[in-house]
């Protein structure tokens, strides 16, 4: 177990800069999730920590030691690949014991470690099978088992659940969380599934185009996203964004008039706002509730019944629209005029450049 | 409508379904019988006669021709030399083919150099046996380039008569065959290497494997099916190789490079004893069959 820290980390592929100056401090025993859209460089960062990809600039430290020039072997990390990368010609037992065999661990000790890992993951029955004789979920477990037997300084996971079906993914997510509780090891986990990120992580790092946008707890990311990108990326369904202008800012409150009618008030944030300044208003779909005198008016475009929840898509003016998340028993007809009020805690203001200027607090 | 549905075929559908595969392979089987099976049976019949083809009324002599072969020390010398020639060829083909394949697959070699080497390394494959024979008879001539180089480097003290001395001829011949045959291995193994998933090496690296351990625990097991297939095929082919041996040494000097194929050829076309030649040919067939047996067994296990 060890802390992992990235300082000014950079990666170039030829002339293309893929990772741009990333600083990240991951505490000992922390479960950190790296999220971001496809191609933003999550895997590249993980591979640089593992030693599979050369580092173009900055440094990676594991347990306080700079590991830039160390081979993967010397870094003592374990990695679970998206494709699992199980050795096809070896049995489950041999797959899990491979690192111990290479390290020339005593036979009895290796057997005990394999047994312990197999017990944790429920693989006891499958030890003599070859990977091709296993289901996707079982392979995933073997890949995990191969990591567990190592007692590594840190676990690295690159989208380990993305090849599983939805039900299995939920189950494995729970098992992973339990595994972390049980082992208490440092874990760095890459995904682009934000539900996985929110449920597993103690802290989430959100990346966009090779830059770290924000590194915070799931609650902080949700409540105080640093910019519009993070606000949109975290939370499902996505945050609504409407255009508006500051009408008045005084007594710790900001009143914003929306471009397509209606007015919304937010507690003012860290930066001073001048009347007339254009802002982007972010409203969480779950922060909206129907109200007879509601400030936000629109007509129903689409209603999605999901059972426990109903998603109502509302046209707001000619160009804008927003989504409202309501209880399952909410009923509305297409074209109905509806009015909503926004809970102050779910409204955020961003300036024209997308930076957070005011956030509703809980 | 009803009528068409209930009309019964003369032969039931299930029976026809079972017959179809036989119909498909029938033409091939007929050709095989005509071109392979018939000559094979004919050769076997000749081998049991005295003076087949050349005598008007050849007599049946049972296994006398085989006994005569087995009592001839040259026969056994040829068998031993065939096995020596074949085994060394296969081993060195594999070693050299693997070495070059690894080199060509290595990211450490720059791409331009790599494509240049690739072309260079497959060259031996482009020559027919006769051309290879001419090239190497010139190179290994006592007055040839190789001797000149070796003498300049003080590896040998005199002009070695590579193909004309009984002590070196077989090894020199084997060397030429190795040179002529490794590209097949190289190309197959290179294709195999390119098919090994990169993550396996990455996972092994993280598990703590060094380069040699990666080769031993990932590369070799991944390539084993290819290695076994080509090694067995090569074994069967090399055992029967004729043009190269015939055009370089013709089996000499004094039987020192006599292999089964040249031995049989001489019986047939120098002594005109087709019965003896047939019995030798059957012996080659049996030796090849034993290797084929392993090949088929391996293919089934796949
Ligand atoms: N070997 C390479 N050569 C050149 N560019 C590369 C290489 N590997 C990755 N890239 C580029 O680096 C960027 C980041 O890739 P990376 O695989 O880290 O993305 P990711 O965030 O893991 O995406 P995904 O969620 O799709 O897995 C991409 O734009 C990709 O095209
Ligand atoms: Mg990735």
């Amino acid at each position: 177990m060890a802390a992992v820290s990235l300082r000014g980390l950079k990666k170039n592929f030829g002339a293309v800069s893929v990772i741009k100056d990333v600083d990240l401090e991951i505490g000992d025993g922390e479960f950190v999730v790296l999220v971001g859209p496809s191609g933003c460089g999550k895997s590249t960062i993980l591979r640089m920590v593992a030693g599979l990809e050369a580092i173009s600039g900055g440094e990676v430290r594991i347990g306080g030691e700079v590991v830039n020039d160390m081979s993967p072997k010397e870094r003592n990390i374990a990695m679970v690949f998206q494709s699992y990368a199980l050795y096809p010609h070896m049995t489950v037992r041999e797959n899990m014991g491979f690192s111990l065999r290479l390290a020339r661990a005593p036979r009895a000790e290796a057997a005990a470690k394999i047994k312990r890992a197999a017990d944790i993951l429920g693989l006891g029955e499958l030890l003599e099978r070859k990977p091709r004789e296993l289901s996707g979920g079982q392979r995933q477990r073997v890949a995990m088992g191969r990591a567990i037997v190592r007692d590594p300084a840190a676990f690295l996971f690159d989208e380990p659940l993305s090849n599983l079906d939805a039900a299995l993914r939920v189950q494995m997510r729970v098992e992973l969380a339990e595994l972390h509780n049980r082992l208490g090891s440092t874990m760095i986990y890459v995904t682009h599934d934000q539900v996985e990120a929110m449920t597993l992580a103690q802290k989430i790092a959100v990346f966009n185009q090779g830059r770290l946008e924000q590194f915070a707890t799931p609650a902080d990311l949700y409540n105080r996203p640093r910019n519009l990108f993070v606000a949109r990326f975290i939370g499902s369904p996505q945050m609504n964004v409407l255009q508006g202008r500051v009408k008045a800012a005084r007594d710790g409150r900001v009143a914003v008039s929306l471009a397509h009618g209606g007015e919304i008030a937010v507690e003012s944030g860290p930066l001073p706002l001048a009347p007339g300044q254009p802002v982007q208003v972010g409203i969480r779909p779950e922060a909206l509730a129907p109200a007879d005198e509601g400030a936000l008016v629109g007509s129903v475009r689409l209603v999605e019944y999901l059972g426990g929840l109903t998603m109502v898509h509302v046209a707001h003016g000619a160009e804008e629209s927003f989504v409202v998340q309501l209880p399952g028993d909410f009923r509305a007809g297409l074209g109905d005029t509806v009015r909503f009020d926004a809970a102050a805690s779910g409204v955020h203001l961003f300036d024209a450049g997308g930076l957070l200027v005011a956030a509703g607090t809980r | 409508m009803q009528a068409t549905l209930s009309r019964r075929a003369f032969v039931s559908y299930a029976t026809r379904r079972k017959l179809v595969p036989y119909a498909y392979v029938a033409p091939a089987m007929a050709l095989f019988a005509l071109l392979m099976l018939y000559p094979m049976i004919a050769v076997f019949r000749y081998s049991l006669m005295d003076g087949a083809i050349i005598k008007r009324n050849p007599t049946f002599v049972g296994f006398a021709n085989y006994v005569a072969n087995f009592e001839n020390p040259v026969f056994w010398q040829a068998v031993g030399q065939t096995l020596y020639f074949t085994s060394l060829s296969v081993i060195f083909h594999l070693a050299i083919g693997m070495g070059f394949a690894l080199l060509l697959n290595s990211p450490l070699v720059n791409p331009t150099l790599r494509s240049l080497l690739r072309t260079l390394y497959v060259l031996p494959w482009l020559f027919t046996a006769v051309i290879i024979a001419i090239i190497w008879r010139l190179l290994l001539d006592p007055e040839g380039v190789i001797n000149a180089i070796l003498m300049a480097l003080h590896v040998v003290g005199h002009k070695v008569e590579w193909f004309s001395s009984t002590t070196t001829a077989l090894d020199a011949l084997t060397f030429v065959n190795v040179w002529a045959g490794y590209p097949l291995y190289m190309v197959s193994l290179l294709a195999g290497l390119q098919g090994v998933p990169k993550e396996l090496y990455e996972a092994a690296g993280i598990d703590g494997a060094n380069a040699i351990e990666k080769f031993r625990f990932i590369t070799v097991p991944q390539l084993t099916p290819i290695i076994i297939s080509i090694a067995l095929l090569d074994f069967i082919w090399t055992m029967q190789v004729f043009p190269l041996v015939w055009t370089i040494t013709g089996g000499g000097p004094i039987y020192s490079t006599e292999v089964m194929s040249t031995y049989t050829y001489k019986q047939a076309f120098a002594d005109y004893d087709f019965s003896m030649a047939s019995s030798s040919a059957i012996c080659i067939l049996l030796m090849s069959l034993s290797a084929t047996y392993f090949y088929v067994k391996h293919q089934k296990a796949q």
Side-chain angles (χ1 to χ4, degrees):
Chain A
M1 273 190 281
V4 175
S5 72
L6 317 180
R7 300 199 184 149
L9 193 64
K10 292 185 189 70
K11 176 72 195 181
N12 307 320
F13 284 112
V16 189
S17 164
V18 170
I19 302 297
K20 298 151 189 158
D21 214 350
V22 168
D23 291 291
L24 198 63
E25 296 289 332
I26 297 167
D28 190 0
E30 243 173 9
F31 197 125
V32 168
V33 173
L34 314 185
V35 289
S38 192
C40 70
K42 307 178 293 286
S43 301
T44 305
I45 291 179
L46 208 63
R47 292 167 59 81
M48 284 197 280
V49 174
L52 299 175
E53 204 80 71
I55 294 170
S56 309
E59 59 185 36
V60 173
R61 287 164 184 266
I62 297 176
E65 199 179 349
V66 177
V67 298
N68 283 32
D69 297 324
M70 288 188 187
S71 68
K73 176 180 173 173
E74 295 163 307
R75 298 184 189 199
N76 188 30
I77 34 85
M79 182 156 171
V80 176
F81 293 80
Q82 181 173 356
S83 60
Y84 311 144
L86 299 179
Y87 309 120
H89 48 277
M90 298 185 196
T91 62
V92 169
R93 183 193 300 285
E94 288 163 346
N95 261 282
M96 297 212 296
F98 189 53
S99 58
L100 302 172
R101 179 171 172 198
L102 292 175
R104 310 214 154 62
R107 220 165 255 253
E109 186 192 318
K113 280 187 175 165
I114 293 170
K115 184 173 182 316
R116 184 176 141 248
D119 287 345
I120 293 177
L121 297 164
L123 288 170
E125 309 280 295
L126 307 173
L127 284 176
E128 304 311 326
R129 293 219 200 151
K130 294 272 177 71
R132 65 167 174 276
E133 299 160 343
L134 300 176
S135 72
Q138 291 166 337
R139 282 178 207 179
Q140 211 281 331
R141 263 182 221 154
V142 176
M144 216 109 93
R146 200 165 62 178
I148 292 177
V149 294
R150 298 268 314 275
D151 288 331
F155 287 89
L156 310 179
F157 298 92
D158 192 356
E159 310 204 29
L161 306 186
S162 61
N163 287 338
L164 304 180
D165 68 40
L168 203 53
R169 200 147 59 204
V170 174
Q171 185 193 333
M172 291 306 299
R173 205 166 74 203
V174 174
E175 288 183 19
L176 254 170
E178 282 172 353
L179 192 69
H180 179 246
N181 289 340
R182 184 166 179 160
L183 302 176
S185 318
T186 311
M187 296 190 175
I188 309 178
Y189 187 103
V190 165
T191 179
H192 52 227
D193 178 343
Q194 57 115 355
V195 178
E196 251 170 52
M198 295 295 278
T199 53
L200 284 172
Q202 289 168 329
K203 283 175 106 178
I204 299 178
V206 183
F207 288 89
N208 185 24
Q209 297 185 347
R211 260 181 246 286
L212 178 61
E213 296 286 346
Q214 192 169 2
F215 181 47
T217 63
D220 274 352
L221 282 183
Y222 181 81
N223 293 322
R224 307 189 62 65
R226 210 163 68 84
N227 55 34
L228 205 51
F229 177 83
V230 176
R232 279 200 165 121
F233 199 82
I234 300 293
S236 168
Q238 244 186 30
M239 177 183 269
N240 299 297
V241 179
L242 303 174
Q243 303 302 322
R245 257 171 213 289
V246 176
K247 195 174 160 198
R250 76 174 84 86
D251 304 336
R253 284 187 80 75
V254 189
V256 178
S257 55
L258 297 171
H260 295 279
E263 192 171 300
I264 275 189
V266 198
E267 281 174 58
S268 63
L271 297 176
L273 287 165
Q277 183 181 342
V279 286
Q280 310 187 63
V281 184
I283 310 173
R284 296 250 177 235
E286 54 274 30
L288 290 165
D292 294 338
E293 297 298 303
L296 219 48
V297 190
S299 66
V300 175
R301 261 177 52 190
L302 175 70
V303 182
E304 295 173 309
Y305 295 109
L306 305 179
L309 295 172
T310 299
M311 300 296 164
V312 183
H313 297 248
V314 180
H316 178 65
E319 290 139 37
E320 295 187 314
S321 70
F322 57 89
V323 180
V324 187
Q325 178 178 310
L326 295 167
D329 56 6
F330 181 84
R331 288 290 176 269
L334 288 187
D336 289 0
T337 299
V338 282
R339 291 180 160 270
F340 298 96
D341 251 344
S345 64
V347 181
H348 302 76
L349 294 188
F350 302 91
D351 66 13
L355 225 59
L356 185 76
V357 287
T361 46
R362 299 217 163 199
Chain B
M1 203 62 194
Q2 202 67 25
T4 37
L5 272 181
S6 60
R7 198 183 67 201
R8 298 298 286 263
F10 178 64
V11 184
S12 83
Y13 175 66
T15 315
R16 270 184 293 150
R17 244 185 96 92
K18 272 189 210 140
L19 289 176
V20 164
Y22 296 98
Y24 284 141
V25 297
M29 291 308 287
L31 270 181
F32 173 76
L34 189 71
L35 299 178
M36 300 280 296
L37 214 52
Y38 171 72
M40 247 149 70
I41 292 168
V43 166
F44 182 62
R45 214 169 58 91
Y46 293 157
S47 76
L48 302 178
M49 294 177 183
D50 179 35
I53 303 180
I54 40 172
K55 279 193 193 163
R56 187 174 302 254
N57 292 313
T59 48
F60 179 81
V61 294
F63 287 97
N65 290 323
Y66 291 87
V67 174
N69 258 333
F70 295 161
E71 282 170 352
N72 182 354
V74 178
F75 173 85
W76 291 112
Q77 192 183 346
V79 169
Q81 283 167 180
T82 303
L83 289 176
Y84 178 86
F85 175 78
T86 306
S87 310
L88 282 189
S89 291
V90 170
I91 290 169
F92 280 102
H93 279 160
L94 179 60
I96 294 174
M98 179 70 95
F100 284 165
L102 287 173
L103 185 68
L104 291 180
N105 195 47
S106 161
L108 300 177
V109 181
N110 105 18
T112 350
L113 181 63
R114 215 182 312 172
S115 36
L116 192 75
L117 289 178
R118 187 155 38 209
T119 319
L120 215 59
Y121 289 159
V122 291
L123 274 184
W125 220 3
L126 305 181
F127 301 131
T128 62
V130 179
I131 299 194
I132 293 171
I134 293 170
I135 293 173
W136 283 100
R137 274 171 67 161
L138 288 175
L139 287 175
L140 290 175
D141 189 89
E143 304 294 334
V145 181
I146 305 269
N147 269 342
I149 295 173
L150 290 180
M151 281 177 66
L153 294 175
H154 300 289
V155 178
V156 293
H158 61 284
K159 287 175 179 158
V160 183
E161 311 223 353
W162 296 105
F163 291 125
S164 323
S165 141
T166 50
T167 48
T168 55
L170 186 59
D171 288 323
L173 192 67
T174 309
F175 172 83
V176 174
N177 189 54
V178 167
W179 181 86
Y182 75 81
L184 170 68
Y185 283 71
M186 186 187 80
V187 170
S188 314
L189 292 175
L190 184 59
L193 282 175
Q194 285 163 349
V196 181
K198 215 172 113 240
E199 295 101 81
L200 292 184
Y201 292 110
E202 295 185 341
I206 285 176
D207 272 344
N210 58 31
I212 294 167
E213 287 163 333
K214 282 180 195 169
F215 178 74
R216 176 169 160 214
F217 293 114
I218 309 292
T219 310
V220 171
Q222 287 281 303
L223 295 183
T224 302
I226 299 179
I227 293 174
I228 293 183
S229 294
I230 46 174
L232 281 173
L233 282 178
D234 188 31
F235 196 87
I236 295 165
W237 290 334
T238 308
M239 207 137 65
Q240 307 171 356
V241 92
F242 174 74
L244 194 71
V245 184
W246 189 250
T247 44
I248 294 182
T249 63
I254 338 172
Y255 304 125
S256 66
T257 59
E258 196 81 277
V259 289
M260 288 301 285
S261 59
T262 53
Y263 175 81
T264 309
Y265 181 86
K266 284 177 186 168
Q267 285 178 326
F269 299 106
D271 306 344
Y272 294 104
D273 193 339
F274 290 102
S275 289
M276 284 300 286
S278 296
S279 77
S280 307
I282 294 290
C283 292
I284 301 181
L285 179 70
L286 291 178
M287 279 164 70
S288 302
L289 267 182
S290 57
T292 311
Y293 168 77
F294 287 109
Y295 179 69
V296 171
K297 210 168 103 174
H298 164 72
Q299 288 289 306
K300 272 205 191 124
Q302 282 288 295

